[in-house]
Amino acid sequence: MAESSLTRANGEHEANRVLFRVVHEVAVGYAGADVSLVTAVLHRRLTGVPGMDDHGIRRIAEEISVGRDPSGL
């Protein structure tokens, strides 16, 4: 049972790393761009990354469009 929890925790950690890396890359490349463009890029880049819904992607896109990097990296 502990091994199962560890495996799940490792999977969640890896998913978070992917999410933060993608958000950072988009923030660097699209800082100041129109929200709709940033949203489209995030949707395309985050396909298959669990835990991101449309509202969350929109919030991240709004931050990037004003020049912020919400990834914290």
Side-chain angles (χ1 to χ4, degrees):
M1 181 133 153
E3 186 176 321
S4 172
S5 295
L6 183 58
T7 301
R8 185 175 61 245
N10 285 341
E12 291 172 5
H13 178 74
E14 183 59 29
N16 284 335
R17 282 177 19 113
V18 169
L19 173 63
F20 285 107
R21 186 178 69 242
V22 167
V23 169
H24 176 70
E25 290 171 359
V26 172
V28 169
Y30 292 89
D34 184 70
V35 173
S36 60
L37 173 61
V38 179
T39 300
V41 171
L42 287 169
H43 270 291
R44 187 172 58 248
R45 297 280 310 272
L46 293 175
T47 300
V49 176
M52 288 306 304
D53 60 6
D54 289 340
H55 180 70
I57 288 175
R58 173 71 184 202
R59 282 192 352 242
I60 292 168
E62 289 170 351
E63 291 288 315
I64 293 171
S65 73
V66 296
R68 294 188 190 114
D69 181 355
S71 72
L73 298 178

